[in-house]
Amino acid sequence: MSIERRDMDDGTRRGANALLARAAVADVRADARLRVAIDDFFLVETARLDDRTRVAMAAVLGDLALGIEAALRRYAARLLAARDAAALAATLNAEAPATLERLVGAGLVRDPDLMRELFGRVRQDLLADALPSDAPDDPDRASLLPRLAQQGDSVVAASAIALLSAESRRRVPPAPGQPSSSDLPAELHHRLVWWIAAALRERFADSAGEALSLLDRALAEAALRSIAAHDEGDRLEATALRLAAALDPQANELPGLLVESLADRRLSLFVALLAHALGLDYGDAREIVLDPGGERLWLLLRALELDRESIARIGLALSEADPRRDIDRFAEGLDAIVAVTPDTARHALAPLLLHRDYRAALVALARQQDRVR
């Protein structure tokens, strides 16, 4: 590399201008990094993501985007090949996936509804994996879900088998080339499909040239096909709710089922049983269960008239699985929890039974009030 002084030519000037432009952008990036670092520094510890959650979220987001992108590309390329746009079809199939980076850069995946669902899913899976697996009192007795799958009640048995299948699909990725499900609520799946279709259009528009209208049509048809094929009734959360409804446990049956579902590490069923018992949305019940503070969960359990022993066993299992929970504080507060009457607990939880959009509006107003203060 020469460092001797040379006369400037047009190429040198263009290089200098490009360097100045990159430096200006770098200055903006440095300022953005500083703002992020400041925000991170002042985050309270309880609000900061731990490494396991961060890694799991990245994996879930990556798998979702990759699965949807692959399906859209594959079908759009097939349509283009049949419509005399073979070169564009080949280009669509050849390039490496990159839509997630574009969606992140555009800020689209910061969507609160999408992130709420994914954070809930990831944290539920991590907590379920960490739950202690208690040995049954009767070693010859099958664990909860397999036992329910063999029930004489065909509705319960079918629902239990469906939940076992949904858990397997959620945890075991499909083989290469096999169709994958986003396992998202329908509205969120639709939103993500259209985002990815738009990102693909943006990425391949230059390659399409005069065939851009064909690309638009193919991507739109591929997106509509993905949306039509999506069945949110197959989601893990939906199957867990169906099983809870099929069981429809009475007040004297519910404590045992709740305790056993945790002992069997079936957190989705535990959440679904709570949601069914109080008429809550699954997402709301999951949020209550995952909250390391636990205050709303203890009220919910008292609203369902659970006794001291059942609450203690549930609290212990969750505390062993989640290092953020203070087991000593829970033990010290157990008497106070049990002292809350079911009627008082139900009254305190009444706002959770309001319509979700109504509650979101109330929260937004409260947040704005805090800013004014």
Side-chain angles (χ1 to χ4, degrees), residues 60 64 68 113-114 117-118 121 170 181-190 192 230-233 235 237:
V60 167
L64 277 177
I68 293 174
D113 293 333
L114 176 64
E117 177 62 31
L118 295 184
R121 178 194 297 192
R170 174 72 62 86
S181 169
S182 70
D183 219 23
L184 288 170
E187 183 180 346
L188 295 180
H189 176 78
H190 299 175
L192 193 55
H230 182 72
D231 183 359
E232 68 176 350
R235 299 176 61 236
E237 295 77 10

mmCIF file with all atom_site columns, all heavy atoms in Angstrom, residues 60 64 68 113-114 117-118 121 170 181-190 192 230-233 235 237:
data_model
loop_
_atom_site.group_PDB
_atom_site.id
_atom_site.type_symbol
_atom_site.label_atom_id
_atom_site.label_alt_id
_atom_site.label_comp_id
_atom_site.label_asym_id
_atom_site.label_entity_id
_atom_site.label_seq_id
_atom_site.pdbx_PDB_ins_code
_atom_site.Cartn_x
_atom_site.Cartn_y
_atom_site.Cartn_z
_atom_site.occupancy
_atom_site.B_iso_or_equiv
_atom_site.pdbx_formal_charge
_atom_site.auth_seq_id
_atom_site.auth_comp_id
_atom_site.auth_asym_id
_atom_site.auth_atom_id
_atom_site.pdbx_PDB_model_num
ATOM 1   N N   . VAL A 1 60  ? -36.230 -17.705 18.033 1.00 0.00 ? 60  VAL A N   1
ATOM 2   C CA  . VAL A 1 60  ? -37.632 -17.793 17.645 1.00 0.00 ? 60  VAL A CA  1
ATOM 3   C C   . VAL A 1 60  ? -37.934 -16.836 16.497 1.00 0.00 ? 60  VAL A C   1
ATOM 4   O O   . VAL A 1 60  ? -38.576 -17.213 15.505 1.00 0.00 ? 60  VAL A O   1
ATOM 5   C CB  . VAL A 1 60  ? -38.548 -17.495 18.856 1.00 0.00 ? 60  VAL A CB  1
ATOM 6   C CG1 . VAL A 1 60  ? -39.990 -17.266 18.406 1.00 0.00 ? 60  VAL A CG1 1
ATOM 7   C CG2 . VAL A 1 60  ? -38.505 -18.637 19.848 1.00 0.00 ? 60  VAL A CG2 1
ATOM 8   N N   . LEU A 1 64  ? -39.034 -18.006 12.735 1.00 0.00 ? 64  LEU A N   1
ATOM 9   C CA  . LEU A 1 64  ? -40.304 -17.544 12.168 1.00 0.00 ? 64  LEU A CA  1
ATOM 10  C C   . LEU A 1 64  ? -40.097 -16.894 10.802 1.00 0.00 ? 64  LEU A C   1
ATOM 11  O O   . LEU A 1 64  ? -40.765 -17.231 9.827  1.00 0.00 ? 64  LEU A O   1
ATOM 12  C CB  . LEU A 1 64  ? -40.952 -16.530 13.114 1.00 0.00 ? 64  LEU A CB  1
ATOM 13  C CG  . LEU A 1 64  ? -41.764 -17.047 14.293 1.00 0.00 ? 64  LEU A CG  1
ATOM 14  C CD1 . LEU A 1 64  ? -42.254 -15.878 15.135 1.00 0.00 ? 64  LEU A CD1 1
ATOM 15  C CD2 . LEU A 1 64  ? -42.936 -17.874 13.818 1.00 0.00 ? 64  LEU A CD2 1
ATOM 16  N N   . ILE A 1 68  ? -41.343 -18.497 7.082  1.00 0.00 ? 68  ILE A N   1
ATOM 17  C CA  . ILE A 1 68  ? -42.304 -17.792 6.226  1.00 0.00 ? 68  ILE A CA  1
ATOM 18  C C   . ILE A 1 68  ? -41.637 -17.347 4.930  1.00 0.00 ? 68  ILE A C   1
ATOM 19  O O   . ILE A 1 68  ? -42.203 -17.487 3.837  1.00 0.00 ? 68  ILE A O   1
ATOM 20  C CB  . ILE A 1 68  ? -42.911 -16.593 6.976  1.00 0.00 ? 68  ILE A CB  1
ATOM 21  C CG1 . ILE A 1 68  ? -43.779 -17.088 8.131  1.00 0.00 ? 68  ILE A CG1 1
ATOM 22  C CG2 . ILE A 1 68  ? -43.734 -15.717 6.024  1.00 0.00 ? 68  ILE A CG2 1
ATOM 23  C CD1 . ILE A 1 68  ? -44.308 -15.988 9.032  1.00 0.00 ? 68  ILE A CD1 1
ATOM 24  N N   . ASP A 1 113 ? -47.748 -6.053  19.895 1.00 0.00 ? 113 ASP A N   1
ATOM 25  C CA  . ASP A 1 113 ? -48.531 -7.294  19.941 1.00 0.00 ? 113 ASP A CA  1
ATOM 26  C C   . ASP A 1 113 ? -47.670 -8.499  19.603 1.00 0.00 ? 113 ASP A C   1
ATOM 27  O O   . ASP A 1 113 ? -47.752 -9.548  20.262 1.00 0.00 ? 113 ASP A O   1
ATOM 28  C CB  . ASP A 1 113 ? -49.712 -7.209  18.969 1.00 0.00 ? 113 ASP A CB  1
ATOM 29  C CG  . ASP A 1 113 ? -50.741 -6.177  19.395 1.00 0.00 ? 113 ASP A CG  1
ATOM 30  O OD1 . ASP A 1 113 ? -50.836 -5.916  20.615 1.00 0.00 ? 113 ASP A OD1 1
ATOM 31  O OD2 . ASP A 1 113 ? -51.423 -5.618  18.516 1.00 0.00 ? 113 ASP A OD2 1
ATOM 32  N N   . LEU A 1 114 ? -46.851 -8.367  18.571 1.00 0.00 ? 114 LEU A N   1
ATOM 33  C CA  . LEU A 1 114 ? -45.978 -9.467  18.179 1.00 0.00 ? 114 LEU A CA  1
ATOM 34  C C   . LEU A 1 114 ? -44.968 -9.782  19.270 1.00 0.00 ? 114 LEU A C   1
ATOM 35  O O   . LEU A 1 114 ? -44.767 -10.944 19.641 1.00 0.00 ? 114 LEU A O   1
ATOM 36  C CB  . LEU A 1 114 ? -45.257 -9.127  16.866 1.00 0.00 ? 114 LEU A CB  1
ATOM 37  C CG  . LEU A 1 114 ? -44.232 -10.160 16.388 1.00 0.00 ? 114 LEU A CG  1
ATOM 38  C CD1 . LEU A 1 114 ? -44.901 -11.482 16.063 1.00 0.00 ? 114 LEU A CD1 1
ATOM 39  C CD2 . LEU A 1 114 ? -43.460 -9.638  15.168 1.00 0.00 ? 114 LEU A CD2 1
ATOM 40  N N   . GLU A 1 117 ? -46.450 -11.505 22.334 1.00 0.00 ? 117 GLU A N   1
ATOM 41  C CA  . GLU A 1 117 ? -46.699 -12.925 22.092 1.00 0.00 ? 117 GLU A CA  1
ATOM 42  C C   . GLU A 1 117 ? -45.398 -13.737 22.117 1.00 0.00 ? 117 GLU A C   1
ATOM 43  O O   . GLU A 1 117 ? -45.331 -14.799 22.738 1.00 0.00 ? 117 GLU A O   1
ATOM 44  C CB  . GLU A 1 117 ? -47.390 -13.100 20.729 1.00 0.00 ? 117 GLU A CB  1
ATOM 45  C CG  . GLU A 1 117 ? -47.638 -14.548 20.335 1.00 0.00 ? 117 GLU A CG  1
ATOM 46  C CD  . GLU A 1 117 ? -48.555 -15.276 21.292 1.00 0.00 ? 117 GLU A CD  1
ATOM 47  O OE1 . GLU A 1 117 ? -49.451 -14.643 21.889 1.00 0.00 ? 117 GLU A OE1 1
ATOM 48  O OE2 . GLU A 1 117 ? -48.371 -16.507 21.458 1.00 0.00 ? 117 GLU A OE2 1
ATOM 49  N N   . LEU A 1 118 ? -44.362 -13.219 21.479 1.00 0.00 ? 118 LEU A N   1
ATOM 50  C CA  . LEU A 1 118 ? -43.107 -13.968 21.413 1.00 0.00 ? 118 LEU A CA  1
ATOM 51  C C   . LEU A 1 118 ? -42.396 -14.009 22.758 1.00 0.00 ? 118 LEU A C   1
ATOM 52  O O   . LEU A 1 118 ? -41.839 -15.046 23.144 1.00 0.00 ? 118 LEU A O   1
ATOM 53  C CB  . LEU A 1 118 ? -42.196 -13.370 20.336 1.00 0.00 ? 118 LEU A CB  1
ATOM 54  C CG  . LEU A 1 118 ? -42.724 -13.483 18.902 1.00 0.00 ? 118 LEU A CG  1
ATOM 55  C CD1 . LEU A 1 118 ? -41.698 -12.959 17.911 1.00 0.00 ? 118 LEU A CD1 1
ATOM 56  C CD2 . LEU A 1 118 ? -43.083 -14.928 18.559 1.00 0.00 ? 118 LEU A CD2 1
ATOM 57  N N   . ARG A 1 121 ? -44.238 -16.537 24.788 1.00 0.00 ? 121 ARG A N   1
ATOM 58  C CA  . ARG A 1 121 ? -43.932 -17.902 24.347 1.00 0.00 ? 121 ARG A CA  1
ATOM 59  C C   . ARG A 1 121 ? -42.556 -18.344 24.834 1.00 0.00 ? 121 ARG A C   1
ATOM 60  O O   . ARG A 1 121 ? -42.396 -19.442 25.380 1.00 0.00 ? 121 ARG A O   1
ATOM 61  C CB  . ARG A 1 121 ? -43.976 -17.972 22.817 1.00 0.00 ? 121 ARG A CB  1
ATOM 62  C CG  . ARG A 1 121 ? -43.622 -19.346 22.278 1.00 0.00 ? 121 ARG A CG  1
ATOM 63  C CD  . ARG A 1 121 ? -43.339 -19.353 20.791 1.00 0.00 ? 121 ARG A CD  1
ATOM 64  N NE  . ARG A 1 121 ? -44.487 -18.970 19.999 1.00 0.00 ? 121 ARG A NE  1
ATOM 65  C CZ  . ARG A 1 121 ? -44.533 -19.121 18.670 1.00 0.00 ? 121 ARG A CZ  1
ATOM 66  N NH1 . ARG A 1 121 ? -43.503 -19.620 18.020 1.00 0.00 ? 121 ARG A NH1 1
ATOM 67  N NH2 . ARG A 1 121 ? -45.595 -18.747 18.012 1.00 0.00 ? 121 ARG A NH2 1
ATOM 68  N N   . ARG A 1 170 ? -44.046 -27.482 18.512 1.00 0.00 ? 170 ARG A N   1
ATOM 69  C CA  . ARG A 1 170 ? -43.441 -26.242 18.990 1.00 0.00 ? 170 ARG A CA  1
ATOM 70  C C   . ARG A 1 170 ? -41.966 -26.445 19.310 1.00 0.00 ? 170 ARG A C   1
ATOM 71  O O   . ARG A 1 170 ? -41.129 -25.568 19.046 1.00 0.00 ? 170 ARG A O   1
ATOM 72  C CB  . ARG A 1 170 ? -44.195 -25.767 20.237 1.00 0.00 ? 170 ARG A CB  1
ATOM 73  C CG  . ARG A 1 170 ? -43.620 -24.550 20.960 1.00 0.00 ? 170 ARG A CG  1
ATOM 74  C CD  . ARG A 1 170 ? -43.796 -23.247 20.231 1.00 0.00 ? 170 ARG A CD  1
ATOM 75  N NE  . ARG A 1 170 ? -45.157 -22.850 20.013 1.00 0.00 ? 170 ARG A NE  1
ATOM 76  C CZ  . ARG A 1 170 ? -45.897 -22.168 20.873 1.00 0.00 ? 170 ARG A CZ  1
ATOM 77  N NH1 . ARG A 1 170 ? -45.423 -21.826 22.055 1.00 0.00 ? 170 ARG A NH1 1
ATOM 78  N NH2 . ARG A 1 170 ? -47.123 -21.811 20.563 1.00 0.00 ? 170 ARG A NH2 1
ATOM 79  N N   . SER A 1 181 ? -44.919 -24.133 10.651 1.00 0.00 ? 181 SER A N   1
ATOM 80  C CA  . SER A 1 181 ? -46.004 -23.261 11.088 1.00 0.00 ? 181 SER A CA  1
ATOM 81  C C   . SER A 1 181 ? -45.436 -22.165 11.979 1.00 0.00 ? 181 SER A C   1
ATOM 82  O O   . SER A 1 181 ? -44.557 -22.428 12.803 1.00 0.00 ? 181 SER A O   1
ATOM 83  C CB  . SER A 1 181 ? -47.053 -24.070 11.853 1.00 0.00 ? 181 SER A CB  1
ATOM 84  O OG  . SER A 1 181 ? -47.966 -23.217 12.498 1.00 0.00 ? 181 SER A OG  1
ATOM 85  N N   . SER A 1 182 ? -45.970 -20.953 11.825 1.00 0.00 ? 182 SER A N   1
ATOM 86  C CA  . SER A 1 182 ? -45.506 -19.863 12.691 1.00 0.00 ? 182 SER A CA  1
ATOM 87  C C   . SER A 1 182 ? -46.042 -20.036 14.100 1.00 0.00 ? 182 SER A C   1
ATOM 88  O O   . SER A 1 182 ? -45.473 -19.518 15.059 1.00 0.00 ? 182 SER A O   1
ATOM 89  C CB  . SER A 1 182 ? -45.960 -18.514 12.129 1.00 0.00 ? 182 SER A CB  1
ATOM 90  O OG  . SER A 1 182 ? -47.366 -18.368 12.276 1.00 0.00 ? 182 SER A OG  1
ATOM 91  N N   . ASP A 1 183 ? -47.148 -20.772 14.258 1.00 0.00 ? 183 ASP A N   1
ATOM 92  C CA  . ASP A 1 183 ? -47.795 -20.992 15.552 1.00 0.00 ? 183 ASP A CA  1
ATOM 93  C C   . ASP A 1 183 ? -48.166 -19.669 16.219 1.00 0.00 ? 183 ASP A C   1
ATOM 94  O O   . ASP A 1 183 ? -48.162 -19.565 17.444 1.00 0.00 ? 183 ASP A O   1
ATOM 95  C CB  . ASP A 1 183 ? -46.896 -21.826 16.466 1.00 0.00 ? 183 ASP A CB  1
ATOM 96  C CG  . ASP A 1 183 ? -47.692 -22.840 17.288 1.00 0.00 ? 183 ASP A CG  1
ATOM 97  O OD1 . ASP A 1 183 ? -48.795 -23.196 16.853 1.00 0.00 ? 183 ASP A OD1 1
ATOM 98  O OD2 . ASP A 1 183 ? -47.231 -23.261 18.361 1.00 0.00 ? 183 ASP A OD2 1
ATOM 99  N N   . LEU A 1 184 ? -48.478 -18.685 15.396 1.00 0.00 ? 184 LEU A N   1
ATOM 100 C CA  . LEU A 1 184 ? -48.891 -17.371 15.899 1.00 0.00 ? 184 LEU A CA  1
ATOM 101 C C   . LEU A 1 184 ? -50.404 -17.229 15.815 1.00 0.00 ? 184 LEU A C   1
ATOM 102 O O   . LEU A 1 184 ? -51.059 -17.902 15.012 1.00 0.00 ? 184 LEU A O   1
ATOM 103 C CB  . LEU A 1 184 ? -48.250 -16.259 15.067 1.00 0.00 ? 184 LEU A CB  1
ATOM 104 C CG  . LEU A 1 184 ? -46.759 -16.001 15.222 1.00 0.00 ? 184 LEU A CG  1
ATOM 105 C CD1 . LEU A 1 184 ? -46.289 -15.032 14.143 1.00 0.00 ? 184 LEU A CD1 1
ATOM 106 C CD2 . LEU A 1 184 ? -46.448 -15.457 16.609 1.00 0.00 ? 184 LEU A CD2 1
ATOM 107 N N   . PRO A 1 185 ? -50.980 -16.325 16.605 1.00 0.00 ? 185 PRO A N   1
ATOM 108 C CA  . PRO A 1 185 ? -52.388 -15.967 16.379 1.00 0.00 ? 185 PRO A CA  1
ATOM 109 C C   . PRO A 1 185 ? -52.559 -15.480 14.943 1.00 0.00 ? 185 PRO A C   1
ATOM 110 O O   . PRO A 1 185 ? -51.636 -14.908 14.353 1.00 0.00 ? 185 PRO A O   1
ATOM 111 C CB  . PRO A 1 185 ? -52.630 -14.839 17.379 1.00 0.00 ? 185 PRO A CB  1
ATOM 112 C CG  . PRO A 1 185 ? -51.604 -15.041 18.445 1.00 0.00 ? 185 PRO A CG  1
ATOM 113 C CD  . PRO A 1 185 ? -50.401 -15.607 17.758 1.00 0.00 ? 185 PRO A CD  1
ATOM 114 N N   . ALA A 1 186 ? -53.751 -15.691 14.395 1.00 0.00 ? 186 ALA A N   1
ATOM 115 C CA  . ALA A 1 186 ? -53.971 -15.420 12.969 1.00 0.00 ? 186 ALA A CA  1
ATOM 116 C C   . ALA A 1 186 ? -53.588 -13.998 12.573 1.00 0.00 ? 186 ALA A C   1
ATOM 117 O O   . ALA A 1 186 ? -52.897 -13.783 11.568 1.00 0.00 ? 186 ALA A O   1
ATOM 118 C CB  . ALA A 1 186 ? -55.441 -15.686 12.620 1.00 0.00 ? 186 ALA A CB  1
ATOM 119 N N   . GLU A 1 187 ? -54.008 -13.014 13.362 1.00 0.00 ? 187 GLU A N   1
ATOM 120 C CA  . GLU A 1 187 ? -53.734 -11.616 13.000 1.00 0.00 ? 187 GLU A CA  1
ATOM 121 C C   . GLU A 1 187 ? -52.236 -11.340 12.931 1.00 0.00 ? 187 GLU A C   1
ATOM 122 O O   . GLU A 1 187 ? -51.756 -10.650 12.024 1.00 0.00 ? 187 GLU A O   1
ATOM 123 C CB  . GLU A 1 187 ? -54.387 -10.686 14.022 1.00 0.00 ? 187 GLU A CB  1
ATOM 124 C CG  . GLU A 1 187 ? -54.224 -9.208  13.682 1.00 0.00 ? 187 GLU A CG  1
ATOM 125 C CD  . GLU A 1 187 ? -54.875 -8.292  14.699 1.00 0.00 ? 187 GLU A CD  1
ATOM 126 O OE1 . GLU A 1 187 ? -55.668 -8.779  15.523 1.00 0.00 ? 187 GLU A OE1 1
ATOM 127 O OE2 . GLU A 1 187 ? -54.579 -7.084  14.659 1.00 0.00 ? 187 GLU A OE2 1
ATOM 128 N N   . LEU A 1 188 ? -51.476 -11.890 13.878 1.00 0.00 ? 188 LEU A N   1
ATOM 129 C CA  . LEU A 1 188 ? -50.027 -11.674 13.879 1.00 0.00 ? 188 LEU A CA  1
ATOM 130 C C   . LEU A 1 188 ? -49.362 -12.429 12.736 1.00 0.00 ? 188 LEU A C   1
ATOM 131 O O   . LEU A 1 188 ? -48.400 -11.936 12.131 1.00 0.00 ? 188 LEU A O   1
ATOM 132 C CB  . LEU A 1 188 ? -49.430 -12.098 15.218 1.00 0.00 ? 188 LEU A CB  1
ATOM 133 C CG  . LEU A 1 188 ? -49.858 -11.280 16.430 1.00 0.00 ? 188 LEU A CG  1
ATOM 134 C CD1 . LEU A 1 188 ? -49.186 -11.803 17.694 1.00 0.00 ? 188 LEU A CD1 1
ATOM 135 C CD2 . LEU A 1 188 ? -49.523 -9.804  16.237 1.00 0.00 ? 188 LEU A CD2 1
ATOM 136 N N   . HIS A 1 189 ? -49.847 -13.621 12.446 1.00 0.00 ? 189 HIS A N   1
ATOM 137 C CA  . HIS A 1 189 ? -49.302 -14.375 11.305 1.00 0.00 ? 189 HIS A CA  1
ATOM 138 C C   . HIS A 1 189 ? -49.523 -13.607 10.016 1.00 0.00 ? 189 HIS A C   1
ATOM 139 O O   . HIS A 1 189 ? -48.599 -13.471 9.201  1.00 0.00 ? 189 HIS A O   1
ATOM 140 C CB  . HIS A 1 189 ? -49.970 -15.748 11.225 1.00 0.00 ? 189 HIS A CB  1
ATOM 141 C CG  . HIS A 1 189 ? -49.529 -16.551 10.033 1.00 0.00 ? 189 HIS A CG  1
ATOM 142 N ND1 . HIS A 1 189 ? -48.324 -17.225 9.989  1.00 0.00 ? 189 HIS A ND1 1
ATOM 143 C CD2 . HIS A 1 189 ? -50.121 -16.765 8.830  1.00 0.00 ? 189 HIS A CD2 1
ATOM 144 C CE1 . HIS A 1 189 ? -48.202 -17.831 8.825  1.00 0.00 ? 189 HIS A CE1 1
ATOM 145 N NE2 . HIS A 1 189 ? -49.277 -17.565 8.099  1.00 0.00 ? 189 HIS A NE2 1
ATOM 146 N N   . HIS A 1 190 ? -50.732 -13.075 9.827  1.00 0.00 ? 190 HIS A N   1
ATOM 147 C CA  . HIS A 1 190 ? -51.021 -12.307 8.613  1.00 0.00 ? 190 HIS A CA  1
ATOM 148 C C   . HIS A 1 190 ? -50.087 -11.099 8.495  1.00 0.00 ? 190 HIS A C   1
ATOM 149 O O   . HIS A 1 190 ? -49.537 -10.821 7.423  1.00 0.00 ? 190 HIS A O   1
ATOM 150 C CB  . HIS A 1 190 ? -52.476 -11.814 8.628  1.00 0.00 ? 190 HIS A CB  1
ATOM 151 C CG  . HIS A 1 190 ? -53.478 -12.923 8.680  1.00 0.00 ? 190 HIS A CG  1
ATOM 152 N ND1 . HIS A 1 190 ? -54.832 -12.695 8.802  1.00 0.00 ? 190 HIS A ND1 1
ATOM 153 C CD2 . HIS A 1 190 ? -53.327 -14.263 8.632  1.00 0.00 ? 190 HIS A CD2 1
ATOM 154 C CE1 . HIS A 1 190 ? -55.472 -13.863 8.822  1.00 0.00 ? 190 HIS A CE1 1
ATOM 155 N NE2 . HIS A 1 190 ? -54.581 -14.817 8.732  1.00 0.00 ? 190 HIS A NE2 1
ATOM 156 N N   . LEU A 1 192 ? -47.102 -10.630 9.788  1.00 0.00 ? 192 LEU A N   1
ATOM 157 C CA  . LEU A 1 192 ? -45.719 -11.011 9.511  1.00 0.00 ? 192 LEU A CA  1
ATOM 158 C C   . LEU A 1 192 ? -45.552 -11.474 8.067  1.00 0.00 ? 192 LEU A C   1
ATOM 159 O O   . LEU A 1 192 ? -44.541 -11.168 7.416  1.00 0.00 ? 192 LEU A O   1
ATOM 160 C CB  . LEU A 1 192 ? -45.295 -12.125 10.484 1.00 0.00 ? 192 LEU A CB  1
ATOM 161 C CG  . LEU A 1 192 ? -43.807 -12.458 10.571 1.00 0.00 ? 192 LEU A CG  1
ATOM 162 C CD1 . LEU A 1 192 ? -42.978 -11.223 10.891 1.00 0.00 ? 192 LEU A CD1 1
ATOM 163 C CD2 . LEU A 1 192 ? -43.570 -13.544 11.628 1.00 0.00 ? 192 LEU A CD2 1
ATOM 164 N N   . HIS A 1 230 ? -53.013 -21.100 7.226  1.00 0.00 ? 230 HIS A N   1
ATOM 165 C CA  . HIS A 1 230 ? -52.734 -20.972 8.660  1.00 0.00 ? 230 HIS A CA  1
ATOM 166 C C   . HIS A 1 230 ? -53.984 -21.262 9.478  1.00 0.00 ? 230 HIS A C   1
ATOM 167 O O   . HIS A 1 230 ? -55.040 -20.682 9.242  1.00 0.00 ? 230 HIS A O   1
ATOM 168 C CB  . HIS A 1 230 ? -52.233 -19.550 8.955  1.00 0.00 ? 230 HIS A CB  1
ATOM 169 C CG  . HIS A 1 230 ? -51.869 -19.329 10.399 1.00 0.00 ? 230 HIS A CG  1
ATOM 170 N ND1 . HIS A 1 230 ? -50.751 -19.885 10.973 1.00 0.00 ? 230 HIS A ND1 1
ATOM 171 C CD2 . HIS A 1 230 ? -52.477 -18.612 11.371 1.00 0.00 ? 230 HIS A CD2 1
ATOM 172 C CE1 . HIS A 1 230 ? -50.680 -19.515 12.238 1.00 0.00 ? 230 HIS A CE1 1
ATOM 173 N NE2 . HIS A 1 230 ? -51.715 -18.750 12.511 1.00 0.00 ? 230 HIS A NE2 1
ATOM 174 N N   . ASP A 1 231 ? -53.855 -22.143 10.431 1.00 0.00 ? 231 ASP A N   1
ATOM 175 C CA  . ASP A 1 231 ? -54.974 -22.489 11.320 1.00 0.00 ? 231 ASP A CA  1
ATOM 176 C C   . ASP A 1 231 ? -54.543 -22.236 12.752 1.00 0.00 ? 231 ASP A C   1
ATOM 177 O O   . ASP A 1 231 ? -53.790 -23.016 13.335 1.00 0.00 ? 231 ASP A O   1
ATOM 178 C CB  . ASP A 1 231 ? -55.359 -23.966 11.130 1.00 0.00 ? 231 ASP A CB  1
ATOM 179 C CG  . ASP A 1 231 ? -56.572 -24.355 11.972 1.00 0.00 ? 231 ASP A CG  1
ATOM 180 O OD1 . ASP A 1 231 ? -57.097 -23.483 12.702 1.00 0.00 ? 231 ASP A OD1 1
ATOM 181 O OD2 . ASP A 1 231 ? -56.991 -25.527 11.896 1.00 0.00 ? 231 ASP A OD2 1
ATOM 182 N N   . GLU A 1 232 ? -55.029 -21.134 13.329 1.00 0.00 ? 232 GLU A N   1
ATOM 183 C CA  . GLU A 1 232 ? -54.604 -20.813 14.683 1.00 0.00 ? 232 GLU A CA  1
ATOM 184 C C   . GLU A 1 232 ? -55.188 -21.774 15.715 1.00 0.00 ? 232 GLU A C   1
ATOM 185 O O   . GLU A 1 232 ? -54.749 -21.819 16.858 1.00 0.00 ? 232 GLU A O   1
ATOM 186 C CB  . GLU A 1 232 ? -54.938 -19.369 15.047 1.00 0.00 ? 232 GLU A CB  1
ATOM 187 C CG  . GLU A 1 232 ? -56.403 -19.056 15.182 1.00 0.00 ? 232 GLU A CG  1
ATOM 188 C CD  . GLU A 1 232 ? -56.632 -17.609 15.637 1.00 0.00 ? 232 GLU A CD  1
ATOM 189 O OE1 . GLU A 1 232 ? -55.655 -16.941 16.019 1.00 0.00 ? 232 GLU A OE1 1
ATOM 190 O OE2 . GLU A 1 232 ? -57.790 -17.163 15.577 1.00 0.00 ? 232 GLU A OE2 1
ATOM 191 N N   . GLY A 1 233 ? -56.160 -22.587 15.294 1.00 0.00 ? 233 GLY A N   1
ATOM 192 C CA  . GLY A 1 233 ? -56.709 -23.588 16.197 1.00 0.00 ? 233 GLY A CA  1
ATOM 193 C C   . GLY A 1 233 ? -55.727 -24.699 16.519 1.00 0.00 ? 233 GLY A C   1
ATOM 194 O O   . GLY A 1 233 ? -55.917 -25.441 17.485 1.00 0.00 ? 233 GLY A O   1
ATOM 195 N N   . ARG A 1 235 ? -52.598 -24.090 17.306 1.00 0.00 ? 235 ARG A N   1
ATOM 196 C CA  . ARG A 1 235 ? -51.553 -23.544 18.166 1.00 0.00 ? 235 ARG A CA  1
ATOM 197 C C   . ARG A 1 235 ? -51.539 -24.248 19.517 1.00 0.00 ? 235 ARG A C   1
ATOM 198 O O   . ARG A 1 235 ? -52.557 -24.744 20.006 1.00 0.00 ? 235 ARG A O   1
ATOM 199 C CB  . ARG A 1 235 ? -51.760 -22.039 18.385 1.00 0.00 ? 235 ARG A CB  1
ATOM 200 C CG  . ARG A 1 235 ? -51.714 -21.198 17.142 1.00 0.00 ? 235 ARG A CG  1
ATOM 201 C CD  . ARG A 1 235 ? -52.022 -19.749 17.450 1.00 0.00 ? 235 ARG A CD  1
ATOM 202 N NE  . ARG A 1 235 ? -51.044 -19.190 18.376 1.00 0.00 ? 235 ARG A NE  1
ATOM 203 C CZ  . ARG A 1 235 ? -51.365 -18.639 19.528 1.00 0.00 ? 235 ARG A CZ  1
ATOM 204 N NH1 . ARG A 1 235 ? -52.623 -18.580 19.939 1.00 0.00 ? 235 ARG A NH1 1
ATOM 205 N NH2 . ARG A 1 235 ? -50.416 -18.149 20.298 1.00 0.00 ? 235 ARG A NH2 1
ATOM 206 N N   . GLU A 1 237 ? -51.264 -22.957 22.445 1.00 0.00 ? 237 GLU A N   1
ATOM 207 C CA  . GLU A 1 237 ? -52.113 -22.278 23.416 1.00 0.00 ? 237 GLU A CA  1
ATOM 208 C C   . GLU A 1 237 ? -53.592 -22.627 23.204 1.00 0.00 ? 237 GLU A C   1
ATOM 209 O O   . GLU A 1 237 ? -54.334 -22.812 24.178 1.00 0.00 ? 237 GLU A O   1
ATOM 210 C CB  . GLU A 1 237 ? -51.910 -20.763 23.315 1.00 0.00 ? 237 GLU A CB  1
ATOM 211 C CG  . GLU A 1 237 ? -50.515 -20.286 23.697 1.00 0.00 ? 237 GLU A CG  1
ATOM 212 C CD  . GLU A 1 237 ? -49.451 -20.526 22.637 1.00 0.00 ? 237 GLU A CD  1
ATOM 213 O OE1 . GLU A 1 237 ? -49.810 -20.910 21.498 1.00 0.00 ? 237 GLU A OE1 1
ATOM 214 O OE2 . GLU A 1 237 ? -48.260 -20.328 22.937 1.00 0.00 ? 237 GLU A OE2 1
#
